[in-house]
Amino acid sequence: MTEPTTDGGSFPELFEVVRDYAQRDRNHQVKALRVISAAYLPLEGVPPMPDARQVVEDILVGNGFLLTDPATGQLEPASVDAVVSVATSRLDEEDLRWGAACLLNVMDALRHRAQSQGYETYVIDADDVLDGLETILAADIVEDLIEDALDEG
């Protein structure tokens, strides 16, 4: 899996707050994932945020890759959104592979839950994860096109 980084990145204070929230209870973890989802977007000319892969991964692993809403039992959308945001924020092949692997683990957790317990929102949850994988795949294609264009130039 991924190692914590000391690359600093932009807004290290925000990252520290997010990392602190990620180590608390479920509600704090969801808030951390929501902040990551919003903060880790690819922005031209802005230094990247610190590497959040380990923070996201720790939350997912700690919840068996199945962070759900206690009221509905449905997959917490922030768990998918955070993975996609981090994976696509730098258009780096390693990040994209990491994101795809995380979402495949989420999909596997959904499948196990459906087989052992069954649940009403499986199709909706699986669709959200597949949408996330589609976004990562599209970003991977863009990253390859950029590399090809730079190689030709």
Side-chain angles (χ1 to χ4, degrees):
M1 297 285 178
T2 59
E3 293 298 318
T5 183
T6 58
D7 67 358
S10 59
F11 306 105
E13 303 86 0
L14 175 60
F15 182 71
E16 288 304 316
V17 170
V18 168
R19 189 169 28 198
D20 179 53
Y21 268 49
Q23 296 172 5
R24 295 185 182 183
D25 61 35
R26 183 205 168 280
N27 290 332
H28 282 87
Q29 291 174 349
V30 170
K31 291 291 185 194
L33 291 173
R34 288 179 182 165
V35 170
I36 289 169
S37 298
Y40 284 77
L41 300 173
L43 299 172
E44 189 68 32
V46 176
M49 297 279 289
D51 187 353
R53 290 179 295 173
Q54 191 65 54
V55 172
V56 173
E57 193 172 302
D58 287 348
I59 293 171
L60 293 176
V61 168
N63 289 281
F65 285 95
L66 197 57
L67 186 62
T68 57
D69 181 322
T72 65
Q74 192 168 356
L75 184 65
E76 176 58 53
S79 62
V80 174
D81 295 343
V83 170
V84 172
S85 290
V86 171
T88 60
S89 66
R90 295 185 279 196
L91 286 181
D92 176 78
E93 189 172 334
E94 183 181 330
D95 291 347
L96 295 170
R97 285 185 184 157
W98 168 84
C102 280
L103 291 183
L104 288 172
N105 284 329
V106 172
M107 186 63 85
D108 194 44
L110 290 173
R111 184 182 59 79
H112 280 105
R113 179 179 174 194
Q115 289 175 337
S116 65
Q117 304 170 9
Y119 71 103
E120 297 172 14
T121 62
Y122 174 77
V123 173
I124 295 167
D125 292 344
D127 191 45
D128 287 345
V129 175
L130 291 173
D131 285 347
L133 283 167
E134 183 179 354
T135 301
I136 290 172
L137 177 59
D140 188 35
I141 291 169
V142 168
E143 191 255 345
D144 288 345
L145 291 172
I146 291 170
E147 277 185 15
D148 291 346
L150 291 174
D151 288 345
E152 291 176 9

